[in-house]
Amino acid sequence: MLRPLFAIALLLALPGLAAERASKARVSANGLYSVRLVEDAPGQCRVEMLKESGLAWQFSGCVGTVNDLYFASNDGERFWVLHPLAEKGTKGLVLKQGKRKVRIPGWANTPVAALYDRAGQKLQEKRLPDFLKSKELSEVRQMQGHFKWLEGTLGIPGKGPRLTDQEKVEFEAVGGKFYSLSF
């Protein structure tokens, strides 16, 4: 009789034993702030901006995953999120490149970077076509429902994304082209 009660008690305790998961905290260029995403449970997240003395601010919301890359501004008011393993989009896009129109496939028309403020408001969003031309899309590593596009991440050779002393997020997309994002 004791074994079934123990088994039931163990099953009821399992959700409480699930540990929170967090992204790697990344420090601002001036070293005053760091930002991270904490996932308490699937679909339950918060973003924390930390100072050396503790929590500066936080908001509830999943603006990415614990596997994404987060970069804090020097004033601690904004942060960039890069999605090295981005979900494939479904709606294609037609862009003008010079005098011709170029079709972007649905899988590539997806957000890969976003800038947020301390309230969780999206201030800016970048999609894969903002970084790669249509002919460069063949360099992207495609998977079932996701794709990899950042050098230096997820087994793609190269130098990984970084925050410079000039408060710019720098990275190379597949194919080796250099990009920079400002806060």
Side-chain angles (χ1 to χ4, degrees):
M1 183 68 180
L2 188 56
R3 283 187 183 159
L5 288 176
F6 179 73
I8 291 171
L10 183 61
L11 286 174
L12 291 174
L14 283 178
L17 295 176
E20 72 178 21
R21 297 177 351 133
S23 67
K24 180 180 175 185
R26 292 185 180 260
V27 179
S28 61
N30 62 8
L32 296 178
Y33 293 93
S34 63
V35 64
R36 70 182 189 151
L37 178 110
V38 178
E39 182 182 84
D40 296 315
Q44 295 179 350
C45 310
R46 69 182 180 277
V47 173
E48 297 178 340
M49 187 68 73
L50 306 164
K51 286 183 89 167
E52 191 173 305
S53 60
L55 185 66
W57 55 261
Q58 71 178 0
F59 69 83
S60 294
C62 296
V63 297
T65 71
V66 295
N67 299 316
D68 290 333
L69 306 174
Y70 296 80
F71 297 91
S73 65
N74 280 346
D75 63 4
E77 294 295 314
R78 294 168 312 286
F79 63 96
W80 274 103
V81 180
L82 294 181
H83 309 290
L85 184 64
E87 259 187 63
K88 288 184 175 180
T90 56
K91 293 186 178 186
L93 180 67
V94 177
L95 294 175
K96 273 190 160 182
Q97 288 184 350
K99 292 183 179 183
R100 61 188 184 106
K101 290 183 182 179
V102 177
R103 291 193 183 281
I104 303 296
W107 67 265
N109 186 25
T110 190
V112 294
L115 176 66
Y116 293 90
D117 67 11
R118 67 182 297 146
Q121 297 295 318
K122 191 182 297 181
L123 304 174
Q124 200 176 134
E125 180 177 82
K126 299 287 187 181
R127 295 177 176 271
L128 194 59
D130 293 325
F131 301 120
L132 298 176
K133 293 182 177 163
S134 61
K135 63 184 176 185
E136 297 168 324
L137 293 177
S138 63
E139 299 286 329
V140 174
R141 276 51 167 213
Q142 292 196 46
M143 302 168 71
Q144 185 73 28
H146 296 81
F147 61 83
K148 300 187 269 184
W149 66 283
L150 273 175
E151 287 194 357
T153 65
L154 304 170
I156 299 174
K159 191 173 179 182
R162 60 221 164 261
L163 187 58
T164 69
D165 290 342
Q166 292 77 34
E167 197 180 12
K168 303 236 186 249
V169 178
E170 294 183 345
F171 58 91
E172 285 85 20
V174 290
K177 287 197 176 175
F178 171 83
Y179 297 96
S180 178
L181 299 171
S182 299
F183 289 95

